[in-house]
Amino acid sequence: MFRKGITESFGAGIHALNTSQLTDGVINRSKRMMLDTLGVGLLGTRTAVFNKALKYSQLFTSRERSSVWGQSDIILPPHYAAFVNGIAVHSMDFDDTWHPATHPSGAVLPALLALAETLPSQPSGLDLLLAFNVGIEVQGRLMRFSKEAYNIPERFHPPSVVGVMGSAAASAKLLGLSPEQCIHALAIAASSAGAPLANAATQTKPLHIGNAARRGLEAARLAQIGLKGNPAILDLDRGLGVYYKDYSPSAMADSAVRAYKWILEDQDVAFKRIPAHLGMHWVVDAALAAREKLQNAVGKFDLSQIRHVTLRVPPSKYVNCPLPATEHQARHSFQFNACTALLDNKVTVASFGDAQIGRSALKELLGKVSLETPEDNLPSFDKMYCEVEIATHQGPSYTARCDTFYGHWRKPLTLKHLVDKFSVNASSVLCTEGVEGVIDVIGNIERVADCSILGSYLRMTSNQEHLDRMRIL
């Protein structure tokens, strides 16, 4: 019996999946992902790394032009719009995280929205939703080619590998490419994959998402005009397998069946409450609980009470940063996030500013912290825990442990809290009409006839609202 190659099955699947196969569960989960991605992306347009990337990207022009989120009067070539919007999404490490570990949405949504603006006929919201889910699905299936991928990464940043493939697949779907062209889009994208984890905790890390969005979009457009790559790119150890020590690929599930089983149906994503590496959420919740125990016992919390703080966390070198000096290091530091939670009884967007990082009280507390990695604390976002023990000068110690933080896929944010997060983030850039418009469009995306209305709302900035009012006056 004839058996399709693995890459061939993916090309066929990307081409064949259709809107009738989207289940209510997948639609609802992906709409949450889209809303959260737009919110953190809008907030991210206020960061230094975004503005550096935008300044660079404005050097380039083309006949095709796409919007920059949160900018009422800036347009870029589509692949550069995907690039800067992708950077914005990950600029504060505030975007969603999946299991096996990656940031799935930031590589896909910026590419699709940039591409949609260039098409002769604007896609519907349902078309956008399908292409988005195809991009997410491809990432989910590729990550399951390796047991290593289930752990917190050690060598490369996963979105730089599976993200660019997801962007290519999603873009190919929105372009309506043939099965063969979809195969070559994946092959082309694979040659833009990979980014070393050494650039975590630096301004370069957000570029991993921006590059994934951009290069995936470019790969699909190149495949559309006939460029070809290795049609067995997913089958080979020297293909996508170069990134995994235990690469074991398998064919994509039959996309011709009506009841297609989406990965997202079984595995939800985690949404972050603080703009930091996902692992920080465990240590923050444990620190807040230990702080509460101490305060309840002695009636107050005072830094002078603390003799020593022990953090019991999973082994992961790139989030072990004892004395962070920059916001990006702070977002990847168990020590910083635990100490900030103990000092302030909260961790927020403002916690990662220079003034907060440089506080003498924080530095004093950081000097009292030690980190342990118990053997039973596995480096997996599905199995890890964090424990915080506060030893006091008076003698007693106060310990708290977090196994699952609020926002994790086992304990998902309510829709209200997710919308609240979006509203707070988006309102830092958009006017009220823009914020409410995005919420409405995403909430009803499967019924939107022309998805260009979403781009209109994403350009309704607070500055524009002020200018409009001045014209009326």
Side-chain angles (χ1 to χ4, degrees):
M1 184 175 70
F2 175 74
R3 185 177 179 182
K4 283 184 181 178
I6 291 165
T7 315
E8 186 180 1
S9 75
F10 273 74
I14 293 166
H15 173 78
L17 284 167
N18 62 76
T19 56
S20 69
Q21 294 167 299
L22 292 171
T23 65
D24 289 344
V26 164
I27 288 172
N28 289 332
R29 284 183 172 178
S30 55
K31 288 197 297 187
R32 286 162 60 92
M33 293 162 72
M34 293 169 77
L35 186 68
D36 187 66
T37 300
L38 293 172
V40 299
L42 287 163
L43 181 64
T45 63
R46 304 180 66 185
T47 61
V49 61
F50 168 82
N51 283 289
K52 287 180 171 68
L54 179 60
K55 183 178 180 180
Y56 165 74
S57 298
Q58 286 179 291
L59 297 172
F60 305 95
T61 59
S62 73
R63 286 180 296 176
E64 291 185 334
R65 298 176 295 182
S66 299
S67 304
V68 178
W69 302 351
Q71 311 290 319
S72 60
D73 57 352
I74 297 178
I75 51 176
L76 293 173
H79 53 294
Y80 281 104
F83 176 62
V84 298
N85 290 332
I87 288 171
V89 169
H90 198 56
S91 60
M92 301 171 73
D93 223 307
F94 213 176
D95 47 330
D96 57 18
T97 304
W98 212 11
H99 179 70
T102 195
H103 304 287
S105 301
V108 173
L109 191 57
L112 288 177
L113 293 184
L115 176 59
E117 290 189 68
T118 71
L119 299 178
S121 177
Q122 280 292 298
S124 68
L126 196 56
D127 293 331
L128 182 69
L129 195 63
L130 175 62
F132 178 80
N133 275 288
V134 167
I136 300 302
E137 179 74 4
V138 165
Q139 292 180 74
R141 292 197 175 273
L142 294 180
M143 287 187 296
R144 283 159 175 76
F145 288 0
S146 164
K147 292 181 181 179
E148 177 188 357
Y150 284 79
N151 295 331
I152 297 174
E154 295 180 346
R155 296 177 294 113
F156 62 86
H157 195 205
S160 69
V161 176
V162 297
V164 71
M165 306 297 280
S167 172
S171 300
K173 187 63 183 178
L174 199 63
L175 286 167
L177 299 192
S178 69
E180 183 183 8
Q181 289 172 320
C182 292
I183 288 171
H184 291 297
L186 294 176
I188 297 164
S191 281
S192 292
L197 206 55
N199 271 326
T202 75
Q203 285 190 326
T204 296
K205 189 189 179 198
L207 271 65
H208 299 172
I209 302 290
N211 279 326
R214 170 189 171 183
R215 296 301 188 185
L217 172 54
E218 288 179 337
R221 296 295 294 269
L222 288 167
Q224 184 183 35
I225 62 174
L227 191 72
K228 296 184 177 182
N230 190 320
I233 196 70
L234 303 182
D235 301 66
L236 304 171
D237 287 343
R238 68 180 189 278
L240 197 71
V242 299
Y243 296 102
Y244 301 99
K245 299 172 183 176
D246 59 347
Y247 191 65
S248 180
S250 58
M252 191 167 177
D254 186 1
S255 54
V257 298
R258 181 170 178 80
Y260 182 80
K261 189 67 172 177
W262 301 84
I263 297 288
L264 187 60
E265 191 88 64
D266 291 329
Q267 178 61 63
D268 200 359
V269 301
F271 294 107
K272 298 180 178 181
R273 303 187 336 267
I274 59 173
H277 181 275
L278 193 71
M280 304 307 107
H281 290 67
W282 278 273
V283 81
V284 165
D285 281 9
L288 292 173
R291 185 188 196 278
E292 184 178 18
K293 286 184 177 181
L294 188 158
Q295 188 167 333
N296 289 341
V298 302
K300 66 175 182 176
F301 178 86
D302 191 316
L303 179 62
S304 63
Q305 299 168 315
I306 298 177
R307 179 175 58 82
H308 189 76
V309 177
T310 303
L311 309 180
R312 299 183 181 96
V313 299
S316 181
K317 293 179 181 178
Y318 81 106
V319 284
N320 177 5
C321 185
L323 295 170
T326 69
E327 62 162 307
H328 296 283
Q329 291 175 354
R331 298 184 200 281
H332 294 77
S333 168
F334 279 126
Q335 296 90 334
F336 173 87
N337 284 273
C339 289
T340 298
L342 292 175
L343 280 176
D344 303 332
N345 202 24
K346 61 183 178 180
V347 178
T348 68
V349 170
S351 299
F352 300 89
D354 289 342
Q356 296 296 99
I357 294 171
R359 289 180 293 171
S360 57
L362 178 67
K363 292 181 178 179
E364 179 185 347
L365 187 54
L366 284 168
K368 299 179 179 181
V369 174
S370 64
L371 192 146
E372 297 177 358
T373 55
E375 289 186 5
D376 69 335
N377 202 346
L378 302 177
S380 162
F381 293 138
D382 200 46
K383 299 176 181 178
M384 66 173 282
Y385 67 87
C386 286
E387 191 171 89
V388 175
E389 180 180 355
I390 305 171
T392 64
H393 289 291
Q394 291 75 20
S397 292
Y398 304 90
T399 303
R401 169 170 163 156
C402 176
D403 292 298
T404 305
F405 66 87
Y406 179 49
H408 191 272
W409 45 83
R410 289 194 298 268
K411 194 184 291 186
L413 292 183
T414 65
L415 180 59
K416 181 185 183 303
H417 287 158
L418 190 77
V419 172
D420 286 348
K421 176 188 172 184
F422 168 82
S423 298
V424 170
N425 289 337
S427 62
S428 67
V429 178
L430 300 185
C431 66
T432 301
E433 183 182 357
V435 173
E436 294 177 350
V438 173
I439 293 171
D440 181 63
V441 171
I442 295 298
N444 297 282
I445 192 72
E446 68 271 36
R447 293 180 287 276
V448 171
D450 182 344
C451 71
S452 64
I453 189 173
L454 179 59
S456 300
Y457 285 125
L458 290 170
R459 293 190 295 273
M460 288 187 180
T461 62
S462 302
N463 290 338
Q464 188 62 46
E465 182 179 54
H466 175 72
L467 291 172
D468 290 344
R469 287 174 179 168
M470 291 298 290
R471 291 191 189 102
I472 293 171
L473 296 172

